Amino acid sequence: MSNHVYYGEYSLAYWIELILTRKIVLPKYQRHFVWNKDSLKTLINAFQDNRFVPPVTIGAFCKSDGSITNYIIDGQQRLTSILLAYLDLFPDKEKYKTHLLALARGEESIDEDEGDPYDNVLEWNLSYLTEKGNNKNEICSKLEEGNYMSIGLELPNQFFHEHYLGFSYIVPAASDETSQQCYYTKMFRDINVQGVQLIDIESRRSLYFLNEKFEGFFEPAFMSDYYVNRVGEKQRLDFTRYLCLLSAFKKLNDVNKVARGFSGKKIEKYIEMYIYSVVGNDNEDIFGSFSVIFPDGDFADDIQRLKDTLDDLNLSTEYPSIINMDMYFFGLIYHVLLCHRHIDISRKVQLKNRIERRINDLRDMDNHAQAPAQFQYMRQRLIQSINVYETFVLS
């Protein structure tokens, strides 16, 4: 049985209806909305001038209970821009940054019961709007003043009824969720949206978020607070990288065998193999069995213990180098999450001092500080971090 692909086009008005009624939705792995106002206006001008606009791709995902969810596989930026043009809204990142600064200075406060009324437009997608309502008036009535700005296009409703956007609609032959996930994963990772290349972490999300069971495992929300600040550019902690390398070490019990043959850009393939070992029980000879480490797939308590330990240790959220970050996180994640151990918080000052001394030692060794990404140095950090934390594990 082969995959079925259907082709056609809908008016922009109908696309808006599909979005607002959630008959088409974004997979959880999709990146944030990254276009700016100029990109949006360029798209609208293309429709007005009857120029070619690339079609979007919608994929049917058939769940085990028989329900079907229609995912936006390719075209998030275009469909979101059409919706924003219709609503005459655009996320105002600068005012949101001002709001965050005011919170930090104590000039503004948030009601603990109601939470922050501002949408996080720095990591934003169309679901922020569709969760507020299914029509323009309802959505606009729930927006916090200053969170969004007007685009100023003043498009008449007729525009959305008279212009069309093409689509391909895919119904995969596979009926089981795992096979469908693999099919859409490959498709998503091969797609470039309007020339804006996906970074590895964004592309990788397609491997696990369709399986909701692992949503909180590969990217715990609290881990997004930790990052390396490199010449003013923040590089968020890659939690899945740590899981991958540490799981391999736990299975192989030889740091020199970790990621052997996967240096450079090949490391992303290695991480992909690890993710498949978790969601599809593959590659257990390399990474071990997920179900052995987490019986019945229950990882929630260990993830929570990791969060609590981070809070108790009061680790910095910002690191000057991957050397520093690795030394603090390799051993911590290994012992707390993969070995289900507890760290002696009463000795946290001694622990931090020990880690800092090891960091200084590593920086003085050969070319470690000049080429920290080289695997020989990464393996040094992995084993040394594990050994440091070993002495602070509660028996």
Side-chain angles (χ1 to χ4, degrees):
M1 184 177 178
S2 61
N3 302 314
H4 292 286
V5 183
Y6 303 91
Y7 302 93
E9 62 178 8
Y10 291 141
S11 70
L12 302 187
Y14 191 60
W15 281 117
I16 292 167
E17 179 182 337
L18 292 175
I19 295 169
L20 292 179
T21 57
R22 302 194 195 185
K23 291 179 180 177
I24 57 173
V25 296
L26 289 172
K28 292 184 178 180
Y29 60 74
Q30 276 277 21
R31 70 164 93 186
H32 308 311
F33 180 65
V34 298
W35 279 14
N36 55 33
K37 282 206 298 182
D38 288 338
S39 299
L40 182 153
K41 291 178 179 179
T42 297
L43 176 69
I44 297 302
N45 288 337
F47 283 117
Q48 291 174 324
D49 297 340
N50 294 315
R51 287 184 276 122
F52 173 73
V53 175
V56 301
T57 302
I58 308 296
F61 191 82
C62 307
K63 297 186 177 180
S64 56
D65 61 5
S67 63
I68 296 177
T69 301
N70 294 315
Y71 284 116
I72 301 170
I73 304 297
D74 177 32
Q76 179 202 167
Q77 309 299 321
R78 279 157 279 170
L79 291 174
T80 301
S81 294
I82 291 167
L83 176 66
L84 290 173
Y86 167 71
L87 298 173
D88 189 30
L89 296 173
F90 200 86
D92 193 332
K93 292 185 178 182
E94 294 307 313
K95 286 191 177 179
Y96 183 67
K97 291 177 182 177
T98 301
H99 165 65
L100 293 181
L101 184 59
L103 289 176
R105 291 174 172 172
E107 298 167 357
E108 294 182 16
S109 60
I110 295 176
D111 189 308
E112 293 184 2
D113 295 327
E114 297 182 3
D116 194 339
Y118 286 81
D119 294 336
N120 179 3
V121 297
L122 301 180
E123 299 181 351
W124 184 93
N125 63 45
L126 59 81
S127 64
Y128 277 91
L129 297 179
T130 58
E131 289 172 358
K132 298 181 190 298
N134 58 14
N135 62 71
K136 184 174 184 176
N137 290 335
E138 186 176 8
I139 291 172
C140 291
S141 68
K142 296 179 180 179
L143 300 180
E144 186 70 15
E145 184 177 355
N147 205 185
Y148 296 82
M149 67 178 80
S150 172
I151 302 172
L153 290 175
E154 299 181 356
L155 297 170
N157 285 334
Q158 185 178 359
F159 168 84
F160 298 96
H161 289 277
E162 292 182 347
H163 293 88
Y164 291 76
L165 176 63
F167 68 87
S168 56
Y169 181 65
I170 301 170
V171 181
S175 58
D176 64 288
E177 293 191 16
T178 300
S179 296
Q180 291 178 80
Q181 177 184 343
C182 293
Y183 175 74
Y184 284 127
T185 288
K186 185 178 187 306
M187 179 185 301
F188 179 80
R189 287 165 68 85
D190 287 343
I191 287 174
N192 294 323
V193 182
Q194 292 291 78
V196 182
Q197 183 70 39
L198 290 169
I199 63 174
D200 288 337
I201 293 178
E202 291 174 326
S203 177
R204 191 191 305 155
R205 288 173 181 148
S206 63
L207 293 172
Y208 46 80
F209 271 139
L210 279 178
N211 189 332
E212 296 181 355
K213 175 181 177 181
F214 299 103
E215 181 177 340
F217 180 71
F218 293 107
E219 287 192 4
F222 60 88
M223 277 298 175
S224 65
D225 295 333
Y226 300 89
Y227 60 91
V228 172
N229 195 339
R230 300 169 61 183
V231 196
E233 179 181 347
K234 293 183 178 181
Q235 180 178 330
R236 184 178 294 180
L237 180 147
D238 188 347
F239 189 64
T240 310
R241 165 183 173 269
Y242 286 98
L243 293 175
C244 170
L245 298 173
L246 291 169
S247 295
F249 173 74
K250 184 175 176 63
K251 170 63 179 178
L252 303 172
N253 197 32
D254 185 345
V255 72
N256 293 314
K257 293 182 179 179
V258 173
R260 179 181 291 174
F262 289 89
S263 60
K265 294 183 178 180
K266 294 180 182 178
I267 186 61
E268 188 60 26
K269 177 64 178 178
Y270 192 68
I271 295 175
E272 179 179 319
M273 291 168 60
Y274 167 69
I275 296 170
Y276 276 124
S277 78
V278 175
V279 302
N281 298 317
D282 296 331
N283 307 309
E284 291 186 0
D285 57 324
I286 302 174
F287 302 105
S289 172
F290 182 82
S291 60
V292 169
I293 299 176
F294 301 101
D296 300 321
D298 186 7
F299 54 81
D301 289 344
D302 293 291
I303 290 288
Q304 183 61 48
R305 185 168 64 254
L306 178 60
K307 180 182 185 304
D308 293 340
T309 305
L310 279 166
D311 291 341
D312 291 339
L313 288 174
N314 193 28
L315 296 187
S316 171
T317 57
E318 179 179 343
Y319 296 85
S321 166
I322 190 65
I323 298 174
N324 302 64
M325 177 175 278
D326 280 354
M327 283 301 300
Y328 273 99
F329 282 92
F330 267 132
L332 179 63
I333 295 171
Y334 180 77
H335 288 293
V336 174
L337 187 60
L338 299 186
C339 298
H340 318 292
R341 295 168 175 167
H342 294 264
I343 304 298
D344 186 356
I345 303 301
S346 68
R347 300 169 62 205
K348 65 182 180 181
V349 174
Q350 297 96 311
L351 171 61
K352 292 179 181 179
N353 288 338
R354 184 83 59 85
I355 292 174
E356 288 297 324
R357 288 198 298 271
R358 290 293 177 89
I359 290 172
N360 291 332
D361 291 342
L362 290 175
R363 288 187 173 278
D364 291 337
M365 291 173 55
D366 302 324
N367 296 316
H368 198 132
Q370 284 70 43
Q374 289 189 15
F375 273 25
Q376 60 175 317
Y377 301 131
M378 176 275 292
R379 294 186 182 107
Q380 288 178 8
R381 298 193 296 273
L382 186 152
I383 193 64
Q384 291 205 28
S385 179
I386 288 176
N387 289 341
V388 168
Y389 276 94
E390 181 78 43
T391 61
F392 292 86
V393 169
L394 291 171
S395 57

